[in-house]
Amino acid sequence: MKRVITFGTFDIFHIGHINILERAKELGDYLIVGISSDMLNMQKKGRAPIYSEVERIKIISSLRCVDEVFIEHSLELKGEYIKQHKANLLVMGDDWFGKFDEYKALCEVKYLARTPSISTTEIIEVVRNPQNSNT
Ligand code: CTP
């Protein structure tokens, strides 16, 4: 059985999120998702997520393609999470291209193309300043 792992914040769930999760699942049999804690999101993106980690866990774990979720507390622990969950494949969006190659010592690593023209950051900006929207 091929176990696939991926990581992200998945705040304000959108089409890019489900696309990458479904494609990750298609590459194996069992999909494990590490969801950034609220604190980790603060460190990574300099803002608190709109949806709390408890809400994001509930949303992601309700998806048909997701088999297991856990909270990612630290970027430095990625190797530990890969080992703990016995992952055979790490999938990340290509905004991270090359950044996780060090984990090729532990498992296969694949970067998938992002869905164009959508991101959580963009949604937040459009909601805050609708006049800046180009849609
Ligand atoms: N992702 C994607 N396509 C998008 C947006 C995100 O494939 N249009 C992927 C990312 O590459 C990552 C996962 O979804 O593997 C979770 O990304 P996350 O950072 O939570 O979402 P973003 O929308 O990119 O958030 P932000 O704008 O805050 O960076």
Side-chain angles (χ1 to χ4, degrees):
M1 185 171 80
K2 188 159 178 179
R3 294 168 65 86
V4 183
I5 195 165
T6 191
F7 296 86
T9 304
F10 302 100
D11 191 22
I12 316 183
F13 195 73
H14 61 65
I15 189 73
H17 293 150
I18 191 64
N19 283 344
I20 197 160
L21 292 173
E22 284 185 346
R23 283 183 295 158
K25 176 63 175 272
E26 281 166 15
L27 296 174
D29 306 296
Y30 191 86
L31 178 62
I32 305 148
V33 184
I35 299 175
S36 302
S37 68
D38 293 341
M39 211 124 85
L40 179 56
N41 197 71
M42 278 298 289
Q43 290 163 18
K44 274 197 313 190
K45 305 197 181 187
R47 59 171 159 76
I50 304 291
Y51 297 161
S52 72
E53 60 194 36
V54 173
E55 292 165 332
R56 290 180 287 115
I57 283 178
K58 189 161 182 188
I59 292 167
I60 304 301
S61 58
S62 74
L63 300 171
R64 210 170 21 204
C65 61
V66 173
D67 297 291
E68 198 177 320
V69 301
F70 67 94
I71 284 280
E72 179 187 24
H73 289 285
S74 161
L75 296 177
E76 280 81 65
L77 291 175
K78 264 206 181 55
E80 291 309 310
Y81 296 131
I82 291 169
K83 284 190 255 176
Q84 265 171 29
H85 291 92
K86 298 186 170 37
N88 310 106
L89 167 64
L90 168 63
V91 167
M92 295 297 299
D94 64 1
D95 42 329
W96 297 97
F97 191 80
K99 299 223 172 67
F100 293 99
D101 286 357
E102 63 186 285
Y103 301 116
K104 285 182 177 168
L106 298 175
C107 66
E108 198 185 336
V109 178
K110 275 194 179 146
Y111 303 96
L112 301 183
R114 276 172 73 91
T115 301
S117 315
I118 182 128
S119 74
T120 298
T121 305
E122 201 176 287
I123 293 169
I124 293 171
E125 279 165 13
V126 169
V127 170
R128 285 209 178 116
N129 294 305
Q131 68 274 20
N132 294 345
S133 166
N134 51 13
T135 55

